[in-house]
Amino acid sequence: MTVIWSDEPQGSEGWFTARKGAITGSRAKDARDKLKNGAPGAKMLTYAMDTAREREGGQPLANGQNTAMRIGQEQEPIARMKYEARTGELVEEVGFAHTHDGKFGCS
């Protein structure tokens, strides 16, 4: 499988455009949400509709930022520096990686 890389900084307009309509790693749990009987759960159905609208509507949907996302963004530079200090390896920041068809991706 071919992976396409976007170098757009996370959170930028280009980054949102690159991930438009893709099932993303941060929402994989929602994409798999099922009821005990195996039927699609509410989160799965909502995410499927949102993803379809993004694919057909031409504009990425505005995503709200929850507390976990905000904390992650705030702490990412610190975590990256600590990792580099402990391992001696430099972290290369990337934008968004997605499948050739744009249906799946992650940052």
Side-chain angles (χ1 to χ4, degrees):
M1 171 175 37
T2 302
V3 175
I4 310 295
W5 290 93
S6 166
D7 292 335
E8 298 289 339
Q10 286 189 29
S12 69
E13 185 176 333
W15 180 78
F16 278 109
T17 298
R19 68 193 306 268
K20 179 184 76 168
I23 295 171
T24 62
S26 60
R27 300 284 308 273
K29 184 176 179 181
D30 293 344
R32 297 177 45 100
D33 180 51
K34 292 186 180 181
L35 302 175
K36 288 181 180 180
N37 66 5
K43 289 181 182 179
M44 179 192 286
L45 293 172
T46 299
Y47 189 40
M49 287 186 275
D50 288 347
T51 303
R53 276 193 290 272
E54 277 191 1
R55 288 179 184 174
E56 298 302 319
Q59 292 296 322
L61 294 175
N63 290 331
Q65 185 181 53
N66 64 30
T67 302
M69 292 167 65
R70 182 184 53 76
I71 291 170
Q73 286 182 333
E74 290 171 358
Q75 294 183 357
E76 183 176 340
I78 297 164
R80 190 170 40 253
M81 287 187 304
K82 286 184 176 184
Y83 174 84
E84 289 176 345
R86 286 183 185 156
T87 65
E89 298 290 329
L90 294 178
V91 174
E92 180 181 350
E93 293 184 61
V94 298
F96 189 75
H98 57 89
T99 56
H100 71 283
D101 58 8
K103 292 183 179 179
F104 301 92
C106 61
S107 297

